[in-house]
PDB file of all heavy atoms in Angstrom:
ATOM      1  N   GLN A 406     -15.400  50.832 -66.771  1.00 97.00           N
ATOM      2  CA  GLN A 406     -14.351  51.271 -67.720  1.00 97.00           C
ATOM      3  C   GLN A 406     -13.002  50.759 -67.397  1.00 97.00           C
ATOM      4  O   GLN A 406     -11.988  51.097 -68.131  1.00 97.00           O
ATOM      5  CB  GLN A 406     -14.303  52.852 -67.761  1.00 97.00           C
ATOM      6  CG  GLN A 406     -15.605  53.521 -68.172  1.00 97.00           C
ATOM      7  CD  GLN A 406     -15.992  53.225 -69.554  1.00 97.00           C
ATOM      8  OE1 GLN A 406     -15.159  53.377 -70.499  1.00 97.00           O
ATOM      9  NE2 GLN A 406     -17.253  52.764 -69.798  1.00 97.00           N
ATOM     10  N   ARG A 407     -12.855  50.013 -66.307  1.00 97.00           N
ATOM     11  CA  ARG A 407     -11.550  49.582 -65.794  1.00 97.00           C
ATOM     12  C   ARG A 407     -10.545  50.739 -65.753  1.00 97.00           C
ATOM     13  O   ARG A 407      -9.465  50.721 -66.281  1.00 97.00           O
ATOM     14  CB  ARG A 407     -10.966  48.524 -66.805  1.00 97.00           C
ATOM     15  CG  ARG A 407     -11.743  47.241 -66.868  1.00 97.00           C
ATOM     16  CD  ARG A 407     -11.248  46.305 -67.893  1.00 97.00           C
ATOM     17  NE  ARG A 407     -11.918  45.045 -67.882  1.00 97.00           N
ATOM     18  CZ  ARG A 407     -11.773  44.010 -66.970  1.00 97.00           C
ATOM     19  NH1 ARG A 407     -10.746  44.146 -66.065  1.00 97.00           N
ATOM     20  NH2 ARG A 407     -12.414  42.975 -66.985  1.00 97.00           N
ATOM     21  N   LYS A 408     -11.002  51.788 -65.024  1.00 97.00           N
ATOM     22  CA  LYS A 408     -10.087  52.921 -64.858  1.00 97.00           C
ATOM     23  C   LYS A 408      -9.993  53.250 -63.345  1.00 97.00           C
ATOM     24  O   LYS A 408     -10.839  52.811 -62.539  1.00 97.00           O
ATOM     25  CB  LYS A 408     -10.774  54.149 -65.499  1.00 97.00           C
ATOM     26  CG  LYS A 408     -10.562  54.202 -66.993  1.00 97.00           C
ATOM     27  CD  LYS A 408     -11.151  55.467 -67.531  1.00 97.00           C
ATOM     28  CE  LYS A 408     -10.665  55.708 -68.969  1.00 97.00           C
ATOM     29  NZ  LYS A 408     -11.278  56.882 -69.593  1.00 97.00           N
ATOM     30  N   ARG A 409      -8.946  53.927 -63.001  1.00 97.00           N
ATOM     31  CA  ARG A 409      -8.812  54.437 -61.654  1.00 97.00           C
ATOM     32  C   ARG A 409      -9.434  55.885 -61.607  1.00 97.00           C
ATOM     33  O   ARG A 409      -9.500  56.515 -62.648  1.00 97.00           O
ATOM     34  CB  ARG A 409      -7.356  54.555 -61.224  1.00 97.00           C
ATOM     35  CG  ARG A 409      -6.712  53.192 -61.200  1.00 97.00           C
ATOM     36  CD  ARG A 409      -5.251  53.357 -60.830  1.00 97.00           C
ATOM     37  NE  ARG A 409      -4.571  52.079 -61.072  1.00 97.00           N
ATOM     38  CZ  ARG A 409      -3.340  51.969 -61.324  1.00 97.00           C
ATOM     39  NH1 ARG A 409      -2.493  53.019 -61.373  1.00 97.00           N
ATOM     40  NH2 ARG A 409      -2.810  50.803 -61.507  1.00 97.00           N
ATOM     41  N   LEU A 410      -9.722  56.402 -60.383  1.00 97.00           N
ATOM     42  CA  LEU A 410     -10.334  57.685 -60.268  1.00 97.00           C
ATOM     43  C   LEU A 410      -9.397  58.750 -60.944  1.00 97.00           C
ATOM     44  O   LEU A 410      -9.835  59.660 -61.610  1.00 97.00           O
ATOM     45  CB  LEU A 410     -10.514  58.059 -58.803  1.00 97.00           C
ATOM     46  CG  LEU A 410     -11.729  57.371 -58.088  1.00 97.00           C
ATOM     47  CD1 LEU A 410     -11.681  57.683 -56.632  1.00 97.00           C
ATOM     48  CD2 LEU A 410     -13.027  57.736 -58.737  1.00 97.00           C
ATOM     49  N   GLU A 411      -8.081  58.656 -60.660  1.00 96.00           N
ATOM     50  CA  GLU A 411      -7.177  59.595 -61.150  1.00 96.00           C
ATOM     51  C   GLU A 411      -6.946  59.551 -62.654  1.00 96.00           C
ATOM     52  O   GLU A 411      -6.318  60.407 -63.291  1.00 96.00           O
ATOM     53  CB  GLU A 411      -5.830  59.509 -60.394  1.00 96.00           C
ATOM     54  CG  GLU A 411      -5.150  58.167 -60.365  1.00 96.00           C
ATOM     55  CD  GLU A 411      -5.628  57.283 -59.215  1.00 96.00           C
ATOM     56  OE1 GLU A 411      -6.813  57.485 -58.777  1.00 96.00           O
ATOM     57  OE2 GLU A 411      -4.879  56.417 -58.768  1.00 96.00           O
ATOM     58  N   GLU A 412      -7.476  58.481 -63.305  1.00 97.00           N
ATOM     59  CA  GLU A 412      -7.314  58.340 -64.767  1.00 97.00           C
ATOM     60  C   GLU A 412      -8.499  58.964 -65.510  1.00 97.00           C
ATOM     61  O   GLU A 412      -8.488  58.989 -66.751  1.00 97.00           O
ATOM     62  CB  GLU A 412      -7.212  56.858 -65.083  1.00 97.00           C
ATOM     63  CG  GLU A 412      -5.864  56.268 -64.794  1.00 97.00           C
ATOM     64  CD  GLU A 412      -5.854  54.696 -64.905  1.00 97.00           C
ATOM     65  OE1 GLU A 412      -6.876  54.096 -65.066  1.00 97.00           O
ATOM     66  OE2 GLU A 412      -4.722  54.191 -64.756  1.00 97.00           O
ATOM     67  N   LEU A 413      -9.505  59.439 -64.753  1.00 97.00           N
ATOM     68  CA  LEU A 413     -10.668  60.019 -65.459  1.00 97.00           C
ATOM     69  C   LEU A 413     -10.308  61.444 -65.976  1.00 97.00           C
ATOM     70  O   LEU A 413      -9.551  62.173 -65.363  1.00 97.00           O
ATOM     71  CB  LEU A 413     -11.867  60.133 -64.453  1.00 97.00           C
ATOM     72  CG  LEU A 413     -12.440  58.813 -63.967  1.00 97.00           C
ATOM     73  CD1 LEU A 413     -13.506  59.098 -62.979  1.00 97.00           C
ATOM     74  CD2 LEU A 413     -12.967  58.000 -65.149  1.00 97.00           C
ATOM     75  N   SER A 414     -10.873  61.717 -67.186  1.00 97.00           N
ATOM     76  CA  SER A 414     -10.606  63.062 -67.703  1.00 97.00           C
ATOM     77  C   SER A 414     -11.475  64.107 -67.096  1.00 97.00           C
ATOM     78  O   SER A 414     -12.489  63.734 -66.436  1.00 97.00           O
ATOM     79  CB  SER A 414     -10.818  63.022 -69.190  1.00 97.00           C
ATOM     80  OG  SER A 414     -12.256  62.857 -69.460  1.00 97.00           O
ATOM     81  N   ARG A 415     -11.131  65.401 -67.222  1.00 96.00           N
ATOM     82  CA  ARG A 415     -11.985  66.494 -66.735  1.00 96.00           C
ATOM     83  C   ARG A 415     -13.396  66.304 -67.354  1.00 96.00           C
ATOM     84  O   ARG A 415     -14.396  66.546 -66.626  1.00 96.00           O
ATOM     85  CB  ARG A 415     -11.411  67.823 -67.114  1.00 96.00           C
ATOM     86  CG  ARG A 415     -10.083  68.200 -66.466  1.00 96.00           C
ATOM     87  CD  ARG A 415     -10.332  68.690 -65.087  1.00 96.00           C
ATOM     88  NE  ARG A 415     -11.149  69.884 -65.000  1.00 96.00           N
ATOM     89  CZ  ARG A 415     -10.807  71.071 -65.258  1.00 96.00           C
ATOM     90  NH1 ARG A 415      -9.558  71.338 -65.577  1.00 96.00           N
ATOM     91  NH2 ARG A 415     -11.698  72.137 -65.205  1.00 96.00           N
ATOM     92  N   GLU A 416     -13.419  65.943 -68.570  1.00 97.00           N
ATOM     93  CA  GLU A 416     -14.731  65.798 -69.308  1.00 97.00           C
ATOM     94  C   GLU A 416     -15.607  64.729 -68.630  1.00 97.00           C
ATOM     95  O   GLU A 416     -16.776  64.937 -68.347  1.00 97.00           O
ATOM     96  CB  GLU A 416     -14.489  65.535 -70.773  1.00 97.00           C
ATOM     97  CG  GLU A 416     -15.703  65.650 -71.658  1.00 97.00           C
ATOM     98  CD  GLU A 416     -16.554  64.361 -71.708  1.00 97.00           C
ATOM     99  OE1 GLU A 416     -15.932  63.254 -71.779  1.00 97.00           O
ATOM    100  OE2 GLU A 416     -17.752  64.452 -71.535  1.00 97.00           O
ATOM    101  N   GLU A 417     -14.946  63.590 -68.410  1.00 97.00           N
ATOM    102  CA  GLU A 417     -15.655  62.486 -67.737  1.00 97.00           C
ATOM    103  C   GLU A 417     -16.220  62.875 -66.394  1.00 97.00           C
ATOM    104  O   GLU A 417     -17.415  62.600 -66.005  1.00 97.00           O
ATOM    105  CB  GLU A 417     -14.757  61.250 -67.624  1.00 97.00           C
ATOM    106  CG  GLU A 417     -14.533  60.437 -68.928  1.00 97.00           C
ATOM    107  CD  GLU A 417     -13.550  59.381 -68.767  1.00 97.00           C
ATOM    108  OE1 GLU A 417     -12.356  59.700 -68.393  1.00 97.00           O
ATOM    109  OE2 GLU A 417     -13.747  58.212 -69.037  1.00 97.00           O
ATOM    110  N   LEU A 418     -15.360  63.553 -65.620  1.00 97.00           N
ATOM    111  CA  LEU A 418     -15.722  64.015 -64.296  1.00 97.00           C
ATOM    112  C   LEU A 418     -16.894  64.959 -64.303  1.00 97.00           C
ATOM    113  O   LEU A 418     -17.831  64.870 -63.483  1.00 97.00           O
ATOM    114  CB  LEU A 418     -14.536  64.691 -63.584  1.00 97.00           C
ATOM    115  CG  LEU A 418     -13.420  63.724 -63.152  1.00 97.00           C
ATOM    116  CD1 LEU A 418     -12.174  64.512 -62.713  1.00 97.00           C
ATOM    117  CD2 LEU A 418     -13.840  62.853 -62.007  1.00 97.00           C
ATOM    118  N   SER A 419     -16.843  65.836 -65.349  1.00 97.00           N
ATOM    119  CA  SER A 419     -17.892  66.906 -65.409  1.00 97.00           C
ATOM    120  C   SER A 419     -19.294  66.383 -65.634  1.00 97.00           C
ATOM    121  O   SER A 419     -20.265  66.971 -65.328  1.00 97.00           O
ATOM    122  CB  SER A 419     -17.510  67.952 -66.491  1.00 97.00           C
ATOM    123  OG  SER A 419     -17.649  67.278 -67.723  1.00 97.00           O
ATOM    124  N   ARG A 420     -19.366  65.101 -66.177  1.00 97.00           N
ATOM    125  CA  ARG A 420     -20.641  64.473 -66.335  1.00 97.00           C
ATOM    126  C   ARG A 420     -21.317  64.165 -64.964  1.00 97.00           C
ATOM    127  O   ARG A 420     -22.519  64.015 -64.907  1.00 97.00           O
ATOM    128  CB  ARG A 420     -20.518  63.156 -67.114  1.00 97.00           C
ATOM    129  CG  ARG A 420     -20.139  63.266 -68.567  1.00 97.00           C
ATOM    130  CD  ARG A 420     -20.044  61.941 -69.176  1.00 97.00           C
ATOM    131  NE  ARG A 420     -18.866  61.842 -70.072  1.00 97.00           N
ATOM    132  CZ  ARG A 420     -18.281  60.716 -70.453  1.00 97.00           C
ATOM    133  NH1 ARG A 420     -18.764  59.520 -69.957  1.00 97.00           N
ATOM    134  NH2 ARG A 420     -17.287  60.716 -71.226  1.00 97.00           N
ATOM    135  N   TYR A 421     -20.550  64.142 -63.908  1.00 97.00           N
ATOM    136  CA  TYR A 421     -21.078  63.766 -62.648  1.00 97.00           C
ATOM    137  C   TYR A 421     -21.292  64.978 -61.712  1.00 97.00           C
ATOM    138  O   TYR A 421     -22.154  64.991 -60.799  1.00 97.00           O
ATOM    139  CB  TYR A 421     -20.184  62.771 -61.931  1.00 97.00           C
ATOM    140  CG  TYR A 421     -20.243  61.411 -62.662  1.00 97.00           C
ATOM    141  CD1 TYR A 421     -19.364  61.117 -63.667  1.00 97.00           C
ATOM    142  CD2 TYR A 421     -21.255  60.516 -62.351  1.00 97.00           C
ATOM    143  CE1 TYR A 421     -19.435  59.949 -64.337  1.00 97.00           C
ATOM    144  CE2 TYR A 421     -21.280  59.302 -63.038  1.00 97.00           C
ATOM    145  CZ  TYR A 421     -20.385  59.002 -64.066  1.00 97.00           C
ATOM    146  OH  TYR A 421     -20.485  57.877 -64.729  1.00 97.00           O
ATOM    147  N   SER A 422     -20.453  65.998 -61.948  1.00 97.00           N
ATOM    148  CA  SER A 422     -20.665  67.241 -61.158  1.00 97.00           C
ATOM    149  C   SER A 422     -19.866  68.440 -61.819  1.00 97.00           C
ATOM    150  O   SER A 422     -18.747  68.205 -62.329  1.00 97.00           O
ATOM    151  CB  SER A 422     -20.066  67.095 -59.752  1.00 97.00           C
ATOM    152  OG  SER A 422     -19.983  68.303 -59.091  1.00 97.00           O
ATOM    153  N   PRO A 423     -20.365  69.575 -61.790  1.00 97.00           N
ATOM    154  CA  PRO A 423     -19.694  70.753 -62.268  1.00 97.00           C
ATOM    155  C   PRO A 423     -18.591  71.274 -61.384  1.00 97.00           C
ATOM    156  O   PRO A 423     -17.862  72.160 -61.771  1.00 97.00           O
ATOM    157  CB  PRO A 423     -20.833  71.804 -62.415  1.00 97.00           C
ATOM    158  CG  PRO A 423     -21.852  71.450 -61.414  1.00 97.00           C
ATOM    159  CD  PRO A 423     -21.720  69.975 -61.224  1.00 97.00           C
ATOM    160  N   LEU A 424     -18.517  70.647 -60.157  1.00 97.00           N
ATOM    161  CA  LEU A 424     -17.613  71.178 -59.151  1.00 97.00           C
ATOM    162  C   LEU A 424     -16.157  70.749 -59.393  1.00 97.00           C
ATOM    163  O   LEU A 424     -15.185  71.241 -58.808  1.00 97.00           O
ATOM    164  CB  LEU A 424     -18.033  70.764 -57.761  1.00 97.00           C
ATOM    165  CG  LEU A 424     -19.360  71.384 -57.301  1.00 97.00           C
ATOM    166  CD1 LEU A 424     -19.816  70.740 -56.030  1.00 97.00           C
ATOM    167  CD2 LEU A 424     -19.227  72.870 -57.199  1.00 97.00           C
ATOM    168  N   PHE A 425     -15.984  69.711 -60.227  1.00 97.00           N
ATOM    169  CA  PHE A 425     -14.594  69.244 -60.457  1.00 97.00           C
ATOM    170  C   PHE A 425     -13.753  70.231 -61.232  1.00 97.00           C
ATOM    171  O   PHE A 425     -14.215  70.773 -62.210  1.00 97.00           O
ATOM    172  CB  PHE A 425     -14.631  67.882 -61.211  1.00 97.00           C
ATOM    173  CG  PHE A 425     -15.153  66.774 -60.385  1.00 97.00           C
ATOM    174  CD1 PHE A 425     -16.361  66.209 -60.635  1.00 97.00           C
ATOM    175  CD2 PHE A 425     -14.326  66.227 -59.369  1.00 97.00           C
ATOM    176  CE1 PHE A 425     -16.851  65.111 -59.849  1.00 97.00           C
ATOM    177  CE2 PHE A 425     -14.763  65.167 -58.620  1.00 97.00           C
ATOM    178  CZ  PHE A 425     -16.046  64.606 -58.940  1.00 97.00           C
TER     179      PHE A 425
END
Side-chain angles (χ1 to χ4, degrees):
Q406 301 293 312
R407 296 175 176 279
K408 281 184 168 177
R409 298 178 190 153
L410 287 173
E411 52 274 29
E412 287 169 349
L413 295 177
S414 67
R415 292 281 301 281
E416 191 276 317
E417 284 170 305
L418 289 168
S419 68
R420 289 182 222 156
Y421 293 90
S422 167
L424 295 171
F425 287 110

